[in-house]
Amino acid sequence: MIERDQISARFKELYGTEPTLVSKSPGRINIIGEHTDYNEGFVLPTAIDKAVYVALSKRTDSEIHLYAEDFKEPYSVDLKEVAPSDKGWPNYILGVVNQLKNRGLELSGFNLYIDGDIPVGAGLSSSAAVECATGYGLNELFGLGLDKVEIAKIGQLAEHTYAGVKCGIMDQFASVLSKAKHVVRLDCRDLSYTYVPLELGEYEIVLLNTNVKHSLASSAYNDRRYACEHAVSLIQKKHAEVKSLRDVDIIMLDELVRPFDEDSYIKARFVVEENERLAKACDAMESGDIVEMGRQMFRAHEGLSNEYDVSCQELDFLVEKAKHFPEVLGARMMGGGFGGCTINIVKKGFGQQLVEALAPAYKNEFNLELTPIFVKTDNGSELVY
């Protein structure tokens, strides 16, 4: 948790005035439902108590002045000349500005300071949190009248256009619309959603950060998306009504995809089965059957590793080791893949023992530290003041 006074003091140091407002948008976890969002499937995310904070004030000119605490770096550009930057980090903010301009919304210059406590590279969607905190803050600062779903969509399009990742809507939606002590069951086709209570009883969520992010993550993500779209295009030759993998069953895949493209078949089958696993996990959650929910998480990891092929040695190692502990009901890799965290459903009070048991073996195998992240659920985007 970053203190409000700390943000205000730093903003004043940089810009000479107090910020008009500070918005925050959290990172997210996802219980189950990975790589289903861009296939118009279902996801089951919720926000966590780690967030990105954006402090803002208007300027009297048309300049945008940014400062990122993580990089100790300023960046400035005229509102009329907003374009992707080769620096990288400003793009998550500038992409949002570009989306607001595209909608014909009235902006002027502004000062923005950004800080946060979401571990970067851990698969907790710090980039979505930046986009959503920016969108939420600018909406409030300029009275743009956007609703929360629109802010999430703007964040997603900012990532597509300025960061170059064709992400689904889940991360931004969870960052903006989550509710503490609940997960969001989100239908990524029509963005309808319900809140499902997350009652874990004697269990809690513990994240284990591999502290690795393999470089093929972004390109592989786009490759997986293409494989899924290709499977759909093969099916559409016979079933014109099919719009996405949401409309597809295994029989269609067996008949119309497998004979022509084995890789697209395997990837598409994973997505279809992942939606089924999510439905089972959701039913289990609503009936208080945490054991069954955990079982679906373990199965999801097998699919992500062996079928969708987005895991890595480090993630697989942690999930396999976690299976040996009766205090761990479920574990899987979380997020886009190739690094980041595993999410584990662990008996309350056992988390630290689990880390102490796994860390030496992990260090010995990969020469990497294992970092636990203990999280609670939290609300989505809101004003700090």
Side-chain angles (χ1 to χ4, degrees):
M1 179 78 180
I2 295 174
E3 295 298 326
R4 165 181 160 171
D5 291 349
Q6 176 188 338
I7 296 168
S8 290
R10 191 77 174 103
F11 190 93
K12 190 169 186 179
E13 192 179 308
L14 291 164
Y15 299 119
T17 60
E18 295 279 340
T20 305
L21 60 88
V22 177
S23 62
K24 63 174 271 202
S25 211
R28 65 98 192 95
I29 54 174
N30 185 29
I31 301 299
I32 197 167
E34 219 65 80
H35 292 276
T36 49
D37 60 348
Y38 54 84
N39 290 295
E40 296 191 343
F42 294 91
V43 289
L44 212 59
T46 186
I48 56 171
D49 55 344
K50 299 185 187 305
V52 163
Y53 297 79
V54 165
L56 288 156
S57 68
K58 291 181 184 177
R59 295 176 60 89
T60 55
D61 55 23
S62 61
E63 291 181 4
I64 296 171
H65 286 238
L66 312 176
Y67 189 90
E69 191 62 50
D70 272 2
F71 298 95
K72 299 284 189 285
E73 187 174 64
Y75 184 85
S76 58
V77 65
D78 193 278
L79 188 59
K80 296 186 286 292
E81 295 168 5
V82 166
S85 161
D86 56 8
K87 281 187 180 292
W89 69 262
N91 288 332
Y92 299 100
I93 299 164
L94 299 177
V96 171
V97 174
N98 178 59
Q99 288 300 318
L100 297 174
K101 285 176 65 180
N102 287 351
R103 284 163 173 73
L105 297 167
E106 200 65 40
L107 303 174
S108 66
F110 59 87
N111 296 321
L112 183 151
Y113 166 74
I114 187 164
D115 197 4
D117 59 1
I118 304 172
V120 176
L124 302 178
S125 297
S126 55
S127 60
V130 172
E131 292 149 3
C132 295
T134 301
Y136 195 86
L138 290 173
N139 184 50
E140 294 289 334
L141 185 67
F142 291 106
L144 303 178
L146 299 167
D147 65 29
K148 286 188 167 187
V149 172
E150 193 65 20
I151 291 168
K153 288 178 179 175
I154 284 168
Q156 179 195 22
L157 288 170
E159 186 118 1
H160 286 191
T161 54
Y162 271 51
V165 178
K166 298 291 184 184
C167 62
I169 191 68
M170 175 182 71
D171 295 350
Q172 290 82 4
F173 202 96
S175 189
V176 178
L177 283 117
S178 284
K179 187 168 142 185
K181 298 183 180 176
H182 293 74
V183 293
V184 186
R185 181 176 178 158
L186 172 64
D187 181 336
C188 296
R189 164 163 283 172
D190 61 11
L191 299 190
S192 60
Y193 61 97
T194 54
Y195 293 107
V196 180
L198 184 62
E199 302 287 355
L200 295 177
E202 296 178 6
Y203 291 83
E204 62 184 346
I205 294 167
V206 178
L207 308 179
L208 298 177
N209 189 357
T210 61
N211 287 303
V212 68
K213 190 71 179 172
H214 294 290
S215 59
L216 66 160
S218 291
S219 61
Y221 181 100
N222 290 337
D223 291 345
R224 300 303 180 278
R225 187 164 187 151
Y226 169 77
C228 292
E229 289 168 354
H230 188 232
V232 170
S233 71
L234 290 170
I235 291 168
Q236 283 171 333
K237 291 174 182 175
K238 183 174 179 181
H239 298 280
E241 75 281 3
V242 165
K243 299 289 188 288
S244 71
L245 289 178
R246 168 70 170 277
D247 306 316
V248 168
D249 58 32
I250 301 297
I251 294 167
M252 289 179 185
L253 292 174
D254 286 343
E255 179 194 350
L256 300 168
V257 180
R258 191 171 201 172
F260 305 102
D261 188 336
E262 181 72 15
D263 183 60
S264 288
Y265 168 78
I266 291 168
K267 302 297 188 288
R269 189 186 64 194
F270 164 81
V271 172
V272 172
E273 292 178 342
E274 183 77 346
N275 279 318
E276 292 170 359
R277 282 189 287 270
L278 183 140
K280 289 175 184 172
C282 219
D283 290 344
M285 201 179 296
E286 289 180 317
S287 64
D289 188 351
I290 308 303
V291 173
E292 178 59 24
M293 186 183 90
R295 195 176 293 126
Q296 294 302 326
M297 289 171 67
F298 277 132
R299 176 64 195 96
H301 184 80
E302 289 170 22
L304 286 159
S305 179
N306 301 326
E307 296 154 24
Y308 215 64
D309 198 22
V310 289
S311 188
C312 59
Q313 286 181 300
E314 295 88 347
L315 290 165
D316 290 346
F317 179 90
L318 293 178
V319 172
E320 284 305 311
K321 293 291 184 188
K323 285 180 182 174
H324 297 155
F325 295 90
E327 297 88 350
V328 181
L329 293 187
R332 67 174 190 85
M333 62 148 277
M334 187 181 70
F338 306 103
C341 290
T342 63
I343 177 170
N344 304 263
I345 307 298
V346 180
K347 188 110 173 154
K348 280 181 180 171
F350 186 74
Q352 196 55 49
Q353 287 172 256
L354 179 67
V355 175
E356 287 165 7
L358 295 185
Y362 184 73
K363 173 82 170 177
N364 186 54
E365 187 76 17
F366 301 107
N367 198 31
L368 289 165
E369 300 300 325
L370 181 63
T371 310
I373 305 172
F374 297 93
V375 296
K376 293 185 172 69
T377 63
D378 207 350
N379 293 320
S381 301
E382 56 192 13
L383 287 182
V384 179
Y385 70 90

